[in-house]
Amino acid sequence: VEVCGGTHVHRTGDIGYCHIVSESSIGSGLRRVEAVSGRAAEGMLSQHSTTMREIAHRLQVPPDELLTRVVGLLAEMEQATTQSETLERELLKYQVAELPRTQVAGGNVVSGELKVSNAELLREAGDWLKNDIKSGIIVLGMVLESRPSMMIMATNDNVEQGFHAGNAVKEAAKAMDGGGGGRPEMAQAGGREPGKLQDALRAAEEEVRRWKEKA
């Protein structure tokens, strides 16, 4: 219940124990304080105490050492995450090195599926390849949580000659029941059929071929 203009009680003893749950801004010069009181407040604190004892038991530390233990675990998790990301990037380099590099209508094309945990790593792989091949078009795909996605990147010389990654990826994504778009130099698309990612990658190569034959 939101109250204003007073406590709406005759004496503070009518409130009993009062526990503030949150405090926030609801407008210029206005604050909202949310609290529970009386038996509800006592029940909440009892539940909090029970929860903390259970957590302390699971972490095998006394309740008064719980905060120190949690801080230590968070630090360990952060370190493990950093190590995992570093290892994934190192393994990604091996995947990228194994990608087939072909000539499509006289132009360099690097195409393939990568096993990565997020789209950012897919873009990083594309950047590595752009710097490596100097001139060409990169077509990369991945499946994450049963959802296929792909990315097309083009070096500047291909863009200057008229290639548009956004148009190419939009057409190729139809092969995996998806859609997308983007800029001439980089575009992305998502689909609904993970089993058709390879079809979409081949469709992207065909879009490159059509463009090359017209250029």
Side-chain angles (χ1 to χ4, degrees), residues 10-101:
H10 296 292
R11 59 185 66 84
T12 56
D14 295 339
I15 299 174
Y17 185 77
C18 181
H19 177 67
I20 295 176
V21 177
S22 67
E23 186 268 346
S24 61
S25 172
I26 58 173
S28 179
L30 297 174
R31 309 293 295 180
R32 171 183 284 133
V33 177
E34 297 180 2
V36 292
S37 62
R39 294 291 177 85
E42 294 171 4
M44 176 180 284
L45 289 180
S46 178
Q47 180 60 46
H48 287 176
S49 179
T50 300
T51 300
M52 288 186 65
R53 286 198 302 271
E54 178 63 23
I55 295 173
H57 175 71
R58 288 176 179 268
L59 294 179
Q60 299 181 345
V61 295
D64 58 350
E65 296 179 10
L66 186 58
L67 178 59
T68 301
R69 178 59 173 153
V70 169
V71 170
L73 285 174
L74 290 175
E76 291 175 10
M77 288 178 59
E78 183 177 358
Q79 182 179 13
T81 299
T82 300
Q83 292 175 342
S84 176
E85 291 174 349
T86 300
L87 178 59
E88 185 174 14
R89 280 184 170 84
E90 289 300 316
L91 293 175
L92 180 59
K93 291 178 182 178
Y94 288 100
Q95 290 190 66
V96 169
E98 294 297 319
L99 288 175
R101 306 185 181 201

Side-chain angles (χ1 to χ4, degrees), residues 142-191:
M142 70 174 186
V143 176
L144 185 62
E145 297 178 354
S146 299
R147 300 284 289 190
S149 62
M150 63 184 300
M151 176 190 71
I152 298 178
M153 299 180 75
T155 55
N156 291 336
D157 59 331
N158 283 273
V159 174
E160 290 170 358
Q161 293 170 23
F163 182 77
H164 196 295
N167 295 338
V169 83
K170 183 178 180 180
E171 289 300 315
K174 295 177 181 178
M176 57 182 182
D177 193 20
R183 305 185 303 276
E185 71 277 11
M186 197 277 279
Q188 295 174 280

Side-chain angles (χ1 to χ4, degrees), residues 191-208:
R192 298 182 179 87
E193 298 289 339
K196 295 183 178 180
L197 175 60
Q198 293 300 323
D199 293 339
L201 295 177
R202 285 191 289 270
E205 291 185 27
E206 187 59 31
E207 287 298 314
V208 175

